[in-house]
Amino acid sequence: MDNLESLVIARRLRVPIGDAPAGTHPGWGEVAARQLDAALLSVGFTCSAALLEHLARLRGETVLDLGVRVLAAVRTLVGDHVQHNAYFIDFPKNVPDTMEFWVGLLREALLDPVAAARVQPSTLNLLELPGYGRYQHSYADLLAAHAELLPLAGDRVTVLDLGASLEEEARELYFSLAGSEVPLAEEDLAALRTLAGFCADEPERIPVRENRAIVNEVRLAAGRPLLVDTVTDVLRLACGVSGGDVTLSTPTRFRSFRRAERRALLEALDAVAVPAKLGDVPRHREPWKRLGERLHPHEYPKLPRAAHVFEVARGVRHAASFDSRVEAALSAGRTGDAAVLLGNTPGALLRRLDHLLRSGHDTSAVLDAAEKAAAGASGRVLLSLREHLQNRLAPAAGRVFTNRHGGAWATPDARAPLGEQVLSRAVTILDEEITRRLPDPGELVIDPDVLDVALPLSGKAVVPGLGMLPRGSLSPVDGELLRFFVHWRQAERRTDYDLSALMLDADYGNAEHISWTNYGNDFAEYSGDLTEAKDGASEFINIRLADATKPIIIPQVHIYAGEAFDEAAEAFFGYMTRDAEQEGRPFEPRTVRMKSDLRGAGRVALPFVVLRGDDGGWRVKWLHLYLKGHPSFNQVEGNRVTSSLLVRSIVERDHLRVRYLADLLRAKNSTAGHTTYIGLQAPADLPEGARVYTPGTLHELIPA
């Protein structure tokens, strides 16, 4: 239950409070509530007026118990649950020159008779010099060396609101995740699995297949009918109940199934395995073969169509996939036949619209087919195509491709351009259909700061955390000092992560960097390199924005050696902003603007890029990228070209943002009496019953 409560607090910024008993000693609950609020302020959070008032009416002991759990949840959310020490105790002051630092270490080693015996000039490894890569002082020493943080009005204060009971809050979060129109991140899928086991009911519509697989796990365990309409739905479910990956992107080792489970899976498979749907089987041929060894379909002769699935997987039975038939028609120049085939699957036709328009077929006929298909495609497909087409209006530096794990690659754009009239009609078709599907907003209230947040057309690469926004979002950097931080703790073997920053001019060239090989320049300082993290390690880079001579700054986390991000016991990244006069520790939780876990198989993380605009102001553009990198010894110097090309491709891409939907909502003739609010955080004075969309629930605004 504590995990569920922490989940609700972190995802909704609401404190679930049920029917806790009222206080019997007047004033004691209020005192405890004020103490909790003061403790929360120290990490950049505060209670809303409604929450504070409600807490004041409870028993003091109840408030204290709840406060311990709430404080633990928000400290983890902001990254304050660990001690952030720095290699250089005075950081960002007194950071030595890089060469001076190495010469000093070498001098100390040569003056030490024991160490000098190990320093051989022919095999000298600077990283193995005594005193390098390990803390030379305690965390208490670091605290003593730094003045207290001077709080300023610009520091982050995140409001925690009053929630309903834990059951009601969990149900609301469950319905939001399960009914999402966009694919979820791995962490959200894990949260959905936790919530599914807790909540008795479920939303009427579960459009995303991975979400449906997790709900089906609960249904299978309870002996209820399964929600499947393709053969792949059954495969996802089998992976999920085996503790594997319902996205099917990584192999799953299937467990042994009980007889009742085997029958339920095979019956569900038999119900959907019509010849037209067997074409999906070859796409996952190997997993189907392994699953057949566990389900024993030969023991169920009354379920012949289920057996056909495994025959297709083994190559005994032929089944042409839908995509192969479309490709065959296009390869033969029969674009009209391909359009007819695609017309039976509206989403597939719209995903291929650009290709069809460039194929030489009558563009008017293709657009007519697209207009018919638009009514049957999902809202997410419509919005994705709308973003794609608006980027075809002007040539881009390159095309960038990203996968569900944040992996990315870029290539020059060699596609033939599309005519302006063709693009104009296609965009009009999409705008009209999207507008038709949007709900009646009633009185629309929009926070201007949310307008440049990108629409979450996929959440797979976005790790939940504090201040996280979808890829392509723009958010201002308020403050004179920008400080990146990374913290990791190794699980089993020595692990060395390196925080670095690549700095480029306006043409994405003339690179310089800050890292363990270059401790500083005229406007940035590095806190020092740590090469192992048995008890955790933190690294920082401090940027004085007013002095920055480069308009593009790309923070990066490199795995130099050891465990991958998802193998480490803990790994997270974030950034803080401060005013120039603020002192404080290297890590101050109330100045943290963003923090999230690092994950994925990539060896180089690129969370975002910091850009200086024409007005001199700085903004973050979110990337959520993980480069493959090298198996070990990754350094910023070795990834300059790849990083620059990928970042440029995303920075110059025109992402579909909240501004687009806001304009469509304003254009609707509203007749409803309710209020719709879209912003970064809901204000306290919204009328009762208002529909609220914040970054954590923005996916609910994507039309079905």
Side-chain angles (χ1 to χ4, degrees):
M1 294 292 283
D2 287 351
N3 289 339
L4 199 63
E5 184 180 60
S6 299
L7 184 63
V8 169
I9 294 170
R11 299 301 176 87
R12 292 299 199 188
L13 297 178
R14 294 165 64 89
V15 179
I17 299 178
D19 298 326
T24 56
H25 301 286
W28 171 213
E30 182 177 358
V31 170
R34 294 293 179 185
Q35 289 175 340
L36 171 59
D37 198 40
L40 288 171
L41 279 172
S42 69
V43 290
F45 293 83
T46 188
C47 298
S48 69
L51 176 58
L52 205 58
E53 180 182 352
H54 188 91
L55 290 173
R57 295 197 299 266
L58 301 180
R59 294 172 54 187
E61 296 82 355
T62 301
V63 176
L64 290 180
D65 289 343
L66 177 64
V68 170
R69 302 195 300 273
V70 172
L71 194 57
V74 298
R75 289 187 66 194
T76 300
L77 182 62
V78 81
D80 191 47
H81 59 296
V82 299
Q83 294 182 345
H84 292 274
N85 204 346
Y87 183 86
F88 297 129
I89 191 170
D90 293 326
F91 172 84
K93 298 177 180 178
N94 300 322
V95 173
D97 173 78
T98 311
M99 185 60 70
E100 174 189 329
F101 170 76
W102 287 109
V103 170
L105 278 184
L106 185 58
R107 182 186 300 112
E108 289 179 8
L110 292 174
L111 292 177
D112 183 341
V114 177
R118 302 200 307 266
V119 176
Q120 301 294 329
S122 61
T123 59
L124 180 61
N125 183 349
L126 293 177
L127 301 184
E128 293 182 354
L129 288 174
Y132 182 78
R134 297 169 183 81
Y135 288 119
Q136 302 301 299
H137 54 266
S138 69
Y139 182 65
D141 294 335
L142 179 128
L143 294 183
H146 290 267
E148 290 292 326
L149 177 74
L150 175 65
L152 295 178
D155 292 344
R156 176 190 54 79
V157 179
T158 303
V159 178
L160 295 178
D161 209 350
L162 173 65
S165 68
L166 181 58
E167 291 75 11
E168 293 174 284
E169 292 292 338
R171 182 182 184 276
E172 183 179 338
L173 179 57
Y174 173 53
F175 272 50
S176 176
L177 294 176
S180 172
E181 294 289 334
V182 301
L184 302 176
E186 293 177 14
E187 291 77 6
D188 283 329
L189 288 175
L192 180 59
R193 182 173 282 109
T194 299
L195 293 163
F198 178 81
C199 300
D201 50 2
E202 59 200 34
E204 295 181 1
R205 186 170 181 272
I206 306 176
V208 177
R209 301 288 175 176
E210 293 96 323
N211 301 354
R212 193 179 302 179
I214 290 174
V215 172
N216 274 330
E217 291 178 28
V218 177
R219 284 177 162 261
L220 180 65
R224 298 165 58 195
L226 302 177
L227 304 174
V228 299
D229 54 27
T230 70
V231 295
T232 310
D233 285 339
V234 179
L235 181 61
R236 293 185 192 278
L237 172 57
C239 290
V241 297
S242 298
D245 179 14
V246 295
T247 70
L248 306 181
S249 59
T250 56
T252 293
R253 184 182 180 88
F254 294 108
R255 66 171 173 82
S256 296
F257 298 96
R258 293 180 286 106
R259 179 173 291 276
E261 292 174 326
R262 285 190 283 133
R263 175 172 286 280
L265 290 170
L266 289 170
E267 286 178 346
L269 196 57
D270 190 74
V272 297
V274 296
K277 295 187 177 182
L278 290 178
D280 292 340
V281 175
R283 187 180 305 173
H284 305 289
R285 190 183 298 275
E286 292 306 316
W288 278 118
K289 289 180 184 178
R290 296 196 302 273
L291 181 58
E293 296 170 356
R294 294 294 190 181
L295 295 185
H296 311 157
H298 60 278
E299 296 179 3
Y300 300 87
K302 294 183 179 180
L303 303 175
R305 289 192 299 194
H308 294 167
V309 172
F310 302 101
E311 291 172 0
V312 172
R314 297 196 308 271
V316 176
R317 181 183 295 267
H318 176 70
S321 69
F322 173 78
D323 289 340
S324 68
R325 286 182 286 159
V326 173
E327 290 296 338
L330 290 173
S331 298
R334 296 182 284 109
T335 308
D337 292 344
V340 171
L341 280 171
L342 289 167
N344 298 320
T345 54
L349 187 147
L350 293 180
R351 289 187 182 96
R352 290 176 174 263
L353 183 61
D354 193 312
H355 187 191
L356 293 173
L357 291 172
R358 289 183 282 113
S359 64
H361 187 64
D362 181 7
T363 56
S364 180
V366 171
L367 288 173
D368 288 342
E371 189 166 13
K372 294 178 182 178
S378 71
R380 175 172 170 260
V381 169
L382 297 177
L383 290 167
S384 297
L385 179 58
R386 179 62 170 78
E387 179 176 291
H388 170 83
L389 292 178
Q390 72 186 26
N391 282 279
R392 292 286 270 139
L393 293 170
R399 298 177 67 189
V400 61
F401 300 88
T402 59
N403 61 27
R404 67 185 67 202
H405 303 294
W409 63 99
T411 182
D413 190 352
R415 296 170 298 179
L418 296 175
E420 187 174 341
Q421 290 184 338
V422 170
L423 283 171
S424 177
R425 184 185 170 194
V427 165
T428 300
I429 290 170
L430 295 172
D431 287 346
E432 290 177 351
E433 180 60 27
I434 293 168
T435 302
R436 184 186 68 80
R437 297 190 190 191
L438 289 174
D440 188 337
E443 181 185 356
L444 185 62
V445 181
I446 299 180
D447 175 5
D449 291 340
V450 83
L451 293 176
D452 283 329
V453 174
L455 294 177
L457 301 181
S458 176
K460 287 185 177 294
V462 183
V463 183
L466 177 75
M468 297 297 289
L469 296 175
R471 177 184 291 134
S473 297
L474 287 166
S475 53
V477 176
D478 298 321
E480 299 163 308
L481 301 179
L482 175 64
R483 185 169 299 172
F484 309 126
F485 64 89
V486 66
H487 178 87
W488 76 99
R489 178 166 53 87
Q490 63 203 45
E492 297 180 351
R493 52 198 171 102
R494 188 183 74 83
T495 298
D496 180 5
Y497 293 173
D498 291 321
L499 180 62
S500 307
L502 182 65
M503 301 163 178
L504 307 170
D505 61 21
D507 295 323
Y508 293 84
N510 194 21
E512 62 179 280
H513 68 274
I514 298 294
S515 73
W516 66 275
T517 61
N518 185 36
Y519 287 172
N521 59 17
D522 292 337
F523 61 91
E525 299 88 22
Y526 174 57
S527 68
D529 185 27
L530 294 160
T531 60
E532 63 178 36
K534 291 181 180 179
D535 301 314
S538 298
E539 294 183 6
F540 305 86
I541 290 178
N542 194 62
I543 310 286
R544 285 169 277 108
L545 294 174
D547 300 329
T549 57
K550 300 286 186 180
I552 301 171
I553 302 172
I554 310 171
Q556 307 176 19
V557 182
H558 296 257
I559 300 179
Y560 188 80
E563 299 164 343
F565 294 128
D566 51 4
E567 294 175 341
E570 188 170 28
F572 59 84
F573 168 88
Y575 78 89
M576 298 170 275
T577 59
R578 304 188 191 185
D579 285 348
E581 65 267 25
Q582 283 184 291
E583 295 286 342
R585 299 166 294 175
F587 180 89
E588 289 286 0
R590 72 182 72 184
T591 67
V592 173
R593 304 290 175 164
M594 166 265 164
K595 175 262 178 183
S596 75
D597 290 342
L598 295 167
R599 64 102 187 273
R603 309 289 286 183
V604 180
L606 276 65
F608 53 74
V609 56
V610 187
L611 306 166
R612 184 170 59 205
D614 295 336
D615 60 356
W618 291 84
R619 295 192 296 176
V620 165
K621 187 157 189 178
W622 297 82
L623 303 176
H624 304 299
L625 298 180
Y626 287 86
L627 308 186
K628 184 177 180 180
H630 304 288
S632 58
F633 312 127
N634 289 285
Q635 294 178 251
V636 62
E637 299 95 314
N639 291 289
R640 286 180 178 178
V641 175
T642 304
S643 300
S644 302
L645 181 59
L646 282 173
V647 169
R648 182 170 190 171
S649 298
I650 290 182
V651 168
E652 295 183 355
R653 181 174 178 81
D654 185 13
H655 290 81
L656 208 60
R657 299 194 177 96
V658 171
R659 186 185 308 276
Y660 167 76
L661 283 188
D663 290 341
L664 296 185
L665 285 167
R666 290 191 184 102
K668 291 180 74 75
N669 294 321
S670 176
T671 58
H674 63 263
T675 298
T676 297
Y677 175 82
I678 307 174
L680 297 179
Q681 186 166 316
D685 56 352
L686 287 175
E688 187 176 354
R691 298 175 181 173
V692 177
Y693 301 95
T694 57
T697 58
L698 201 58
H699 62 273
E700 298 175 8
L701 195 57
I702 304 299

